[in-house]
Amino acid sequence: MPDFVLKNDDEQRPSSPSFLKGLNGRQKEAVEHTDGPLLIIAGAGSGKTRVLTYRIANLLYQEKAYANQILALTFTNKAAREMKDRIVDLIGEQANRLWMGTFHSIFSRILRIEAEQLDYTRNFSIYDSVDSDRVIKTILQEMNINTKEVKPQSVRYIISGAKNQLITPETFSNNFVQSSMEDIAARVYERYLARCKKNNAMDFDDLLIKPIELFEAHPNLLHKYQEHFRYILIDEYQDTNHAQYRVTRMLTSGNQNICVVGDDSQSIYSFRGADISNILNFQEDYPNAVRIPLEQNYRSTKAILQCADSVIRNNVSRLDKTLWTRNDQGDAITVIENYDERDEANRIARMIDEIKMRRNLSYRDFAVLYRTNYQSRVLEDAFRRRGITYQLVGGVSFYQRREIKDVTAYLRLLVNSGDDESLLRVINEPVRGVGEKTILILAQLARDSGKSLWDVIQNVESTGIYKPTIPRIRNFVDVMQQTQQKLQEVGLTDTVRFLLEETGYVKQFIEEHSHDSIMRRQNVMELLNAISFFEKSSNTPSLGAFLQEISLVTDLDAHDTEKPAVTLMTAHGSKGLEFPVVYITGLEEDLFPIGGRVGEEVDVEEERRLFYVAITRAKKLLFFSYAKNRFRFGEQIEMRRSRFLDEVDSAVVRTETGATIRQDRSASRPGSTYIAYDEDRASTGSRTSIFQPEQTSPTGMSIEYDNMPDDGVWRPGMAVIHPKFGAGKVLQCEGRGEQAKVTVFFKNAGQKKLMVKFAKLSLIGS
């Protein structure tokens, strides 16, 4: 393909590239809009990736910018790779110079360049959630707090929430502590930041927050990157959080050549800090923005689209759009009623085999989606019994396995000797006779002296520790120094092989020779394969670059769409994917939609958006499944079918019941009091609130919360203010007295459903 570059004015070429001919009208309009802010509302299956790809290619073709002046931000590494490959096919090799990747990968790249401006070195470590939990656990232990009662991941979740709202430790401590857990988090917060800084390490939140700190402290650097990036494109804009919103606003405050693509109906990550108001308020942020809806769906049948549309129309907070398709009407959606979860799993397994044979499909054409990770167990059991090959997405990631974390800790220590957390992980792994008491003494010496732990153990003879331990630590130091020297002399693969041999890390698995140790050894060998592949495929391979690449890998990046296996995953995990046949399971009240925590109303609108996402993954066949009974905490509990099933257009649905199962339509009533455990959210820690009521409104006026209407009745249209969410408007009211609830749309927080007696709402202007 031609490698188009900016040309002189006297050179002629066609005004419109030939690759635009296959676009529909709306897509072409979005691609050819080049200057100024652009909001593309891309419905499910409407070809948004194609539009983004062609838009970047067209910018290059029209000579609007060089490739390295275009910044494209995605939400998975896989999406970035696929888009860049497509642009290379359209435009040529210059596309490889695009700044394209996830928010974390792009801004970590900027931070590597500018690290010294923030008093870091360029070889800083990147801590994932497991690493952060270890640091927080150490801090809790130093504070004499029982880590069995106070989970480090719960503390991390609170700290992460504060960081992504750009709340400093001091502000958090003074204004946002409402519980004992938040009090502990407040005390840990500042120590955690200091410990990461001492270790020359940043966590995932820092990769978004530190660029803001950098640009605020150094306006000249902000101007440099504003001038450099002539065009900025953001995919999945509805999933951006406050920090992502803030940093991109800073970068686009100049020429405002920003294009965002997203779908408010697919905003499903509020528990990770995503803020739907970013996309809902885009045209307020950029008053000159052009808005283009992509409404033609290329993925699903008419029946599936009709089903999806009938569900999502129940949401009040949404941007108007109507998906349509030229595809066939297709089969009706089948609702499967089951006795319990085992019945559900067995029937799905049997149906998959039958459909696979009847329609000549592969197992990879099937996906089974569920609301929480624990639901996969009975499905896995049923699939194993029938001999159905499956892949589980969202389990323990390869790079999160214990042995892989051990080896990468060794490698991080080679690159960043100041990383105390990595050193603590491997100083006695494999066991070399360095006890916990010795490690505590050394760590305390490092803290007291302000040195890194590596600096301390290099002079271990002067530490005064138990003498028989000194030669063991000296041997560890010698091996690491020898490996450092190897890194300068030979390639990455040979260096890592040397390290594994000299430390005895692989030898321990060979000597143990159990099934588990064999699997762990194979995993380490697979990591060595990954290093070898990286070394051969990279023009300038370095250990630091490899570590950065693997630190940003997500579960979806590891999903193999070509593997001949049924995909098992959560509805959250399915975002961005598509399958010919989809089963959505566990459609019961307090499971899907998930139940709220005690004292917290479930956000039904977000749950409905999640259901909508799951529906629109299906191309040809779609099945809804629910159980009348389900085991929870060792007891069988009667379930009620999800309210969402009653929102589906009955014209495109048929129900299939078991021969021994009595259909009970009364079970459709919502309102079960059972509180479900949400693994998707629990995996990131407690959802404890980090906010307390403010004393003034956003305008500075004094607010008296709980200021009720004169007659005590809330009505749609009332303007209100909330201590956490700010100003909003009442959209819907239901119930009376103690059971009264209101649905409110808040400008800065999106739509929330609140119990009036707990909400602390105040009328504005009353």
Side-chain angles (χ1 to χ4, degrees), residues 112 123-126 398-399 403-419 421-423 425-427 429 476 479-480 483-484 486-487 491-501 503 505 524 526-532 534 542-548 550-551:
R112 295 281 181 200
N123 60 353
F124 62 80
S125 299
I126 298 176
F398 176 79
Y399 291 105
E403 58 275 13
I404 302 303
K405 293 289 289 181
D406 287 344
V407 177
T408 53
Y410 271 111
L411 302 183
R412 287 201 312 211
L413 192 57
L414 290 174
V415 172
N416 175 19
S417 62
D419 188 347
E421 195 56 40
S422 292
L423 197 155
R425 184 178 185 107
V426 299
I427 194 171
E429 184 61 53
F476 170 77
V479 168
M480 295 303 294
T483 308
Q484 278 277 13
K486 280 281 184 183
L487 193 58
L492 297 184
T493 308
D494 289 339
T495 297
V496 176
R497 189 178 287 114
F498 173 83
L499 175 70
L500 294 173
E501 290 173 355
T503 58
Y505 191 80
V524 173
E526 182 59 29
L527 177 64
L528 196 62
N529 292 338
I531 294 170
S532 178
F534 173 82
S542 71
L543 186 54
F546 174 76
L547 290 171
Q548 170 152 321
I550 66 172
S551 71

Side-chain angles (χ1 to χ4, degrees), residues 359-617:
R359 301 213 177 200
N360 193 28
L361 298 174
S362 165
Y363 281 139
R364 70 168 172 265
D365 296 324
F366 295 82
V368 182
L369 310 181
Y370 35 80
R371 182 61 182 82
T372 60
N373 280 309
Y374 74 80
Q375 290 172 257
S376 72
R377 183 188 62 80
V378 289
L379 290 162
E380 291 183 75
D381 289 345
F383 284 15
R384 281 194 294 266
R385 283 194 297 269
R386 287 193 70 90
I388 294 176
T389 307
Y390 67 90
Q391 60 174 327
L392 184 66
V393 180
V396 179
S397 165
F398 176 79
Y399 291 105
Q400 296 298 327
R401 297 181 187 277
R402 189 178 78 185
E403 58 275 13
I404 302 303
K405 293 289 289 181
D406 287 344
V407 177
T408 53
Y410 271 111
L411 302 183
R412 287 201 312 211
L413 192 57
L414 290 174
V415 172
N416 175 19
S417 62
D419 188 347
D420 287 1
E421 195 56 40
S422 292
L423 197 155
L424 287 169
R425 184 178 185 107
V426 299
I427 194 171
N428 197 41
E429 184 61 53
V431 176
R432 52 176 60 92
V434 182
E436 185 175 342
K437 185 176 180 181
T438 297
I439 293 172
L440 289 173
I441 292 171
L442 294 172
Q444 187 62 52
L445 286 171
R447 286 194 296 274
D448 292 344
S449 64
K451 297 179 179 178
S452 71
L453 189 54
W454 175 255
D455 289 336
V456 170
I457 67 171
Q458 282 191 103
N459 300 292
V460 66
E461 291 83 2
S462 62
T463 58
I465 63 170
Y466 182 51
K467 285 189 177 180
T469 308
I470 291 176
R472 301 164 191 164
I473 294 178
R474 170 51 57 194
N475 178 259
F476 170 77
V477 171
D478 290 345
V479 168
M480 295 303 294
Q481 289 175 335
Q482 291 166 21
T483 308
Q484 278 277 13
Q485 185 62 37
K486 280 281 184 183
L487 193 58
Q488 310 304 317
E489 300 171 353
V490 300
L492 297 184
T493 308
D494 289 339
T495 297
V496 176
R497 189 178 287 114
F498 173 83
L499 175 70
L500 294 173
E501 290 173 355
E502 293 300 312
T503 58
Y505 191 80
V506 173
K507 183 181 177 182
Q508 64 178 326
F509 301 141
I510 297 173
E511 291 175 346
E512 183 180 330
H513 199 65
S514 65
H515 174 74
D516 180 65
S517 67
I518 292 171
M519 296 300 295
R520 294 180 67 193
R521 178 177 179 273
Q522 289 176 348
N523 287 336
V524 173
M525 292 302 101
E526 182 59 29
L527 177 64
L528 196 62
N529 292 338
I531 294 170
S532 178
F533 177 80
F534 173 82
E535 185 174 19
K536 292 175 182 177
S537 61
S538 176
N539 293 328
T540 55
S542 71
L543 186 54
F546 174 76
L547 290 171
Q548 170 152 321
E549 181 175 292
I550 66 172
S551 71
L552 301 173
V553 169
T554 67
D555 289 338
L556 282 182
D557 292 321
H559 178 229
D560 185 357
T561 56
E562 297 303 314
K563 186 176 180 179
V566 177
T567 297
L568 300 180
M569 66 194 325
T570 64
H572 280 101
S574 70
K575 182 97 175 300
L577 303 176
E578 59 181 40
F579 303 88
V581 187
V582 170
Y583 291 82
I584 305 175
T585 64
L587 284 167
E588 299 128 34
E589 285 297 304
D590 296 321
L591 183 55
F592 204 165
I594 201 77
R597 302 294 190 275
V598 175
E600 172 188 328
E601 179 69 21
V602 62
D603 186 347
V604 174
E605 291 228 343
E606 175 147 333
E607 290 292 303
R608 189 177 286 112
R609 291 194 294 268
L610 181 59
F611 185 43
Y612 174 85
V613 166
I615 290 171
T616 53
R617 300 312 95 198

